[in-house]
Amino acid sequence: MTFDELVAEADAASVDGWDFSWLEGRATEARPSWGYQRLMSQRLTTVSSALDIQTGGGEVLAGAATFPPAMAATESWPPNLDRATRLLGPRGVVVVADPDEPPLPFADAAFDLVLSRHPATVWWDEIARVLTPGGTYLAQHVGPASVFELTEFFLGPQPEARRARDPETESAAARAAGLDIVDLRAERLRVEFFDIGAVVYFLRKVIWIVPGFTVDAYRDRLAALHRQIETDGSFVAHSSRHLIEARKPG
């Protein structure tokens, strides 16, 4: 396919939800060694109530075989909210529209377990408030300078942004909210894009990589990256992930 054909195909593809199957065979990303979905699924079998914050289209939470008697999820983006409701509702999960700003729409000490995979924002005081004494926050966060090779290809050097989302800074914020850090692990993982269509789809879906991205606004840089991929065979970047587990004192 030509550059124009690849770009047009990716620009027309739906980016609703948090399913990346469109990229199969066109991009790869290594996964963290701890296996968040497995850990999440195990924990859900040990509690009586749980909340998944910023659930997206519900795809990750839906991978759990068993939910506790009280299971809720929040989401802010209407297309994802609709997908999550249709996916999780039949399994008894209460999906709640929430603007990702305090307060969470739940009572104090409502949940034994709070989960989140790649939250855009983390409100530690609210997480602490809705956890029961002895309850746990278990999450996989996007770490600092994630896929910044791609960000900086389009935007140039971003030294200040590179320092955001540091796991030690987040841990300090969790402690300030009264939580104890039980586990903290971080990894950088290889990401590879094999055609320019994969890049376009990824940037349309993961909107914080290049804020305000559109094909028209960045066509010249896309063309340059297309030529680079054709020469090198792929474009390599690295995602940053950390697993964080925090517990509310009993």
Side-chain angles (χ1 to χ4, degrees):
M1 295 174 71
T2 67
F3 167 75
D4 287 336
E5 289 170 338
L6 288 166
V7 168
E9 178 192 29
D11 202 25
S14 170
V15 291
D16 290 351
W18 207 239
D19 175 11
F20 287 82
S21 59
W22 192 91
L23 291 173
E24 188 171 346
R26 307 179 76 156
T28 59
E29 179 181 356
R31 298 301 180 191
S33 60
W34 49 76
Y36 172 76
Q37 192 165 58
R38 175 181 54 82
L39 293 176
M40 174 198 76
S41 298
Q42 290 172 348
R43 295 299 179 88
L44 285 170
T45 67
T46 68
V47 298
S48 60
S49 57
L51 169 66
D52 188 36
I53 296 175
Q54 299 178 32
T55 195
E59 298 90 350
V60 175
L61 184 60
T66 304
F67 293 138
M71 182 76 231
T74 66
E75 176 55 31
S76 62
W77 195 43
N80 278 350
L81 189 64
D82 178 66
R83 288 172 65 93
T85 300
R86 287 187 281 110
L87 183 62
L88 299 171
R91 296 184 59 189
V93 179
V94 178
V95 181
V96 180
D98 177 71
D100 294 341
E101 296 178 357
L104 285 167
F106 304 101
D108 296 356
F111 300 103
D112 301 326
L113 176 66
V114 174
L115 304 162
S116 196
R117 182 181 181 273
H118 303 176
T121 52
V122 183
W123 305 101
W124 290 108
D125 287 340
E126 281 300 289
I127 290 167
R129 181 182 66 78
V130 301
L131 279 172
T132 57
T136 295
Y137 175 70
L138 178 68
Q140 180 174 294
H141 290 188
V142 176
S146 190
V147 201
F148 254 51
E149 297 91 340
L150 196 57
T151 299
E152 295 185 333
F153 184 92
F154 287 91
L155 300 179
Q158 305 285 305
E160 291 300 319
R162 276 185 169 272
R163 289 190 280 271
R165 298 177 176 268
D166 181 85
E168 294 298 338
T169 301
E170 291 194 345
S171 295
R175 292 188 186 98
L179 301 174
D180 297 326
I181 301 300
V182 176
D183 194 5
L184 182 66
R185 291 179 253 173
E187 294 181 1
R188 290 191 68 80
L189 305 149
R190 184 182 177 92
V191 179
E192 200 163 4
F193 299 92
F194 298 105
D195 68 64
I196 198 63
V199 173
V200 169
Y201 180 86
F202 182 79
L203 294 179
R204 291 181 59 232
K205 195 175 188 75
V206 189
I207 58 175
W208 53 86
I209 299 296
V210 179
F213 172 83
T214 65
V215 166
D216 289 343
Y218 289 97
R219 183 170 287 274
D220 288 347
R221 293 304 289 157
L222 288 168
L225 185 53
H226 171 67
R227 292 190 293 270
Q228 182 175 323
I229 291 172
E230 286 201 317
T231 299
D232 298 341
S234 67
F235 180 83
V236 177
H238 296 85
S239 65
S240 178
R241 302 284 183 264
H242 54 272
L243 180 76
I244 186 165
E245 181 176 355
R247 184 170 300 145
K248 184 174 180 177

